[in-house]
Amino acid sequence: MLDVARLRVLREVARHGSLTGAAAAMSFTVSAVSQQITVLEREAGTRLLERHARGVRLTEAGWALIRHTDVIIAELRAAETSLAAIAHGVGGRLRLGSFTTANATLMPRAVRAFQRQYPQVELELVEIDTDEATAAVAAHELDLALVYEFPVVSLRIPPSVELSPLLVDPLHVALPADHRLAYREHLRLTDLAEDRWIQGVHHGSTIDVLPRACRKAGFEPRIAFRTDDQMTVRGLVAAGLGVALAPSLTLPAVPSDLVIRPLSDPALTRTVSAATPAGPYRLPSAMAMIDHLRRVAEELGL
């Protein structure tokens, strides 16, 4: 029978492309990694690795085994999560992932209220992009993750992940204080067709949200800068270098030197949800956290 520990070694070798990289990642010696692979090949009855000038590569049999290994490890993590749910109830550990703009208000307020009610739960908080969050939940690396979806860009949900809608978050636009439209109470995307944009995302599926919405409104946006750092976005807008989208979740933390105006564009309204593993063994603490997230959303008027 194949040994799970040795399968983990093979997966690290595949990930790093060398025995040395796998050894460093696992705090093993290169010799120990080599020995583990040799034993695994004996168990498998075939060669799993081929050496080349810059390291090693998997054989076809090796790749086949890696695909099975990912499933095995995900199932083991699912088993650990299920046992924790049974054994600890609302105690134990809760691994929560959250995206940047939810970390401005929604997540911190919910976590504060949760910890007051369940001080015995050990919380692990991770900032993670929506695209990566659903995969982490599916692999049982996270027990709960906040994710969002726009009408113009669908979110791919693995069949082993379930979404619980939390709130609807309409996006606003952030303008420098001396912007020509700062006096207006409401704006349309077409009003900003001649402006430069500071885009608050530079990778992932949501990078297409602003361009698609603008094209639907009849123009191509002039994007001057892309960044995941919301402080950078605010600084560039305040300096008059462009305008930017501002989710409602971030409005309580927006500085006074920016002008925020609502946008009348349904394509720029996102749904924020809680992603959890599908099935009967979701952690009770995860469900309790979702209740607190919903309460905070109501307090924010979303």
Side-chain angles (χ1 to χ4, degrees), residues 101-168:
T101 51
N103 293 342
T105 51
L106 177 64
M107 186 276 287
R109 294 187 188 185
V111 166
R112 180 180 60 185
F114 177 89
Q115 287 190 315
R116 286 174 179 169
Q117 187 172 0
Y118 304 106
Q120 70 275 31
V121 175
E122 178 188 354
L123 278 174
E124 291 185 9
L125 307 177
V126 178
E127 184 169 287
I128 188 168
D129 184 74
T130 286
D131 293 327
E132 300 167 351
T134 53
V137 171
H140 292 270
E141 294 170 355
L142 291 174
D143 305 305
L144 169 65
L146 296 181
V147 298
Y148 59 88
E149 181 176 19
F150 286 93
V152 291
V153 178
S154 298
L155 180 62
R156 294 183 179 179
I157 306 298
S160 58
V161 173
E162 183 174 313
L163 294 187
S164 300
L166 297 174
L167 59 95
V168 174

Side-chain angles (χ1 to χ4, degrees), residues 189-226:
L189 271 178
T190 51
D191 297 327
L192 303 163
E194 301 304 318
D195 285 86
R196 292 177 298 178
W197 287 86
I198 312 300
Q199 191 170 11
V201 58
H202 69 74
H203 71 282
S205 61
T206 55
I207 199 169
D208 291 330
V209 169
L210 175 64
R212 287 189 185 185
C214 292
R215 289 168 195 147
K216 190 175 180 181
F219 70 96
E220 187 71 26
R222 294 192 300 152
I223 298 174
F225 197 83
R226 292 185 176 93

Side-chain angles (χ1 to χ4, degrees), residues 104-105 174 230 234 246-260:
T105 51
Q230 291 300 303
R234 295 167 186 170
S248 297
L249 286 175
T250 66
L251 298 189
V254 169
S256 58
D257 56 350
L258 296 183
V259 174
I260 305 297

Side-chain angles (χ1 to χ4, degrees), residues 10-111:
L10 179 65
R11 191 169 72 156
E12 288 300 318
V13 172
R15 181 176 297 170
H16 295 280
S18 70
L19 302 183
T20 302
M26 303 186 76
S27 299
F28 287 179
T29 64
V30 175
S31 175
V33 170
S34 180
Q35 290 172 14
Q36 291 291 307
I37 296 298
T38 298
V39 175
L40 184 60
E41 288 181 326
R42 190 181 307 132
E43 292 174 344
T46 186
R47 289 183 63 189
L48 303 173
L49 294 178
E50 294 177 342
R51 296 184 180 274
H52 61 88
R54 289 181 289 181
V56 295
R57 57 174 167 258
L58 269 66
T59 64
E60 185 176 349
W63 282 117
L65 187 54
I66 283 293
R67 289 191 289 271
H68 288 290
T69 296
D70 290 339
V71 173
I72 291 167
I73 291 175
E75 287 297 321
L76 286 173
R77 286 176 177 153
E80 291 170 354
T81 298
S82 298
L83 290 173
I86 294 169
H88 300 292
V90 294
R93 180 182 59 169
L94 176 63
R95 298 165 299 177
L96 169 63
S98 180
F99 55 89
T100 303
T101 51
N103 293 342
T105 51
L106 177 64
M107 186 276 287
R109 294 187 188 185
V111 166

